[in-house]
Amino acid sequence: MSELLEKFSAIKHLPIFPLPLVMVPGELVPLHIFEERYRKMLRDVEAEDGFFGLSYFEPSDSLTEAPPTGSVGCIAELRESELMPDGRSNILTLGIVRYRLVDLVDAGEPYLVGDLEFFEDEPESEAEVEPISDEVFALFERMAKAAFKLSGGRGEAPEILRTSPEALSFLITAALNFENEKKYDLLKMTSTIDRLGALKEVLTRAVTPMEESADIHTVSHTNGHSKKNLDL
């Protein structure tokens, strides 16, 4: 058991915030709290350990007002909270660890409370995971540099810090603009290799066109002069 899972092993029940968005570990997500029941949830979370569950849930796709048992979510840690004069709040949260919703429990609260099972990716051979992690990191670096050029950035692109393969897979998942369904599929995976493989396919298709667009953008902002010949 990792230190992170051990930290959460003593936690059994947490508030659940169902939203039509997907959060992954390591992702910063700003939220706006306005419903009274979730204002109460926020007050309770602030008074406790600062954690609550964020579950992907589309109300229009369900006859209930709650995510189904067995669904996967991500624990959100409250990092910043700004209370507005009318009682609404703007908060900043950080994704920490994934969970499966075992069941909903009656805690006498106006918001949902879940019985949660926390999990991480299954152990995999370093000899298998490191090569694909290296490939995906290199592709992501290329895309980040192209995005920096497209944004009109000057100087060198910011350095992307290398992290563990699982954390890297979620960093890239958070950075790419996936639709909820695709992002949720990546969240549910318990194989780092499989997640990196899926991301490699996306990055491989996207990176060359993005680099070409970045080169064209650079030329268009240097009076058309470039040392590189563009095949247009």
Side-chain angles (χ1 to χ4, degrees):
M1 179 183 293
S2 71
E3 290 184 10
L4 183 59
L5 287 184
E6 188 173 353
K7 175 182 177 180
F8 282 88
S9 63
I11 299 176
K12 188 67 174 174
H13 300 154
L14 279 176
I16 298 295
F17 196 1
L19 288 173
L21 62 85
V22 179
M23 169 188 265
V24 299
E27 182 177 15
L28 284 169
V29 176
L31 298 172
H32 181 63
I33 308 297
F34 59 92
E35 286 188 55
E36 183 54 45
R37 56 180 166 169
Y38 295 118
R39 295 184 190 183
K40 173 65 164 56
M41 183 196 79
L42 179 59
R43 291 194 296 270
D44 291 347
V45 166
E46 288 178 318
E48 294 294 333
D49 49 22
F51 297 118
F52 63 92
L54 197 157
S55 286
Y56 171 50
F57 179 66
E58 294 279 4
S60 60
D61 296 338
S62 174
L63 298 177
T64 68
E65 294 186 359
T69 57
S71 60
V72 172
C74 185
I75 293 299
E77 181 182 18
L78 183 64
R79 287 301 183 92
E80 296 179 13
S81 179
E82 177 189 12
L83 179 64
M84 305 173 75
D86 61 3
R88 294 176 297 140
S89 293
N90 291 318
I91 65 174
L92 183 66
T93 62
L94 175 67
I96 302 297
V97 66
R98 291 171 290 167
Y99 62 83
R100 293 185 185 89
L101 178 61
V102 177
D103 205 353
L104 294 172
V105 299
D106 184 0
E109 299 291 353
Y111 51 82
L112 300 175
V113 176
D115 178 7
L116 308 179
E117 175 186 64
F118 303 100
F119 71 97
E120 293 177 314
D121 284 352
E122 297 294 333
E124 293 174 313
S125 164
E126 185 175 318
E128 292 181 318
V129 74
E130 286 296 338
I132 191 169
S133 180
D134 291 341
E135 291 180 75
V136 170
F137 182 77
L139 287 167
F140 186 58
E141 269 195 322
R142 287 171 57 190
M143 177 170 280
K145 289 176 181 178
F148 181 74
K149 289 170 69 174
L150 283 168
S151 70
R154 297 181 179 276
E156 294 295 323
E159 182 182 2
I160 301 172
L161 297 178
R162 186 65 183 269
T163 184
S164 71
E166 180 176 348
L168 173 67
S169 72
F170 285 124
L171 167 69
I172 297 173
T173 297
L176 299 179
N177 189 27
F178 287 122
E179 294 182 352
N180 281 330
E181 289 76 12
K182 175 64 174 177
K183 192 174 181 182
Y184 184 67
D185 286 341
L186 293 167
L187 179 73
K188 290 189 300 181
M189 289 181 180
T190 57
S191 167
T192 303
I193 291 173
D194 288 349
R195 189 180 305 106
L196 288 170
L199 292 170
K200 179 183 174 182
E201 290 183 13
V202 173
L203 291 168
T204 299
R205 290 195 304 268
V207 68
T208 298
M210 193 168 181
E211 287 175 330
E212 291 173 348
S213 295
D215 285 340
I216 293 170
H217 177 81
T218 300
V219 170
S220 70
H221 285 75
T222 54
N223 298 319
H225 298 292
S226 172
K227 294 181 180 179
K228 179 179 179 180
N229 293 323
L230 299 179
D231 184 8
L232 302 178

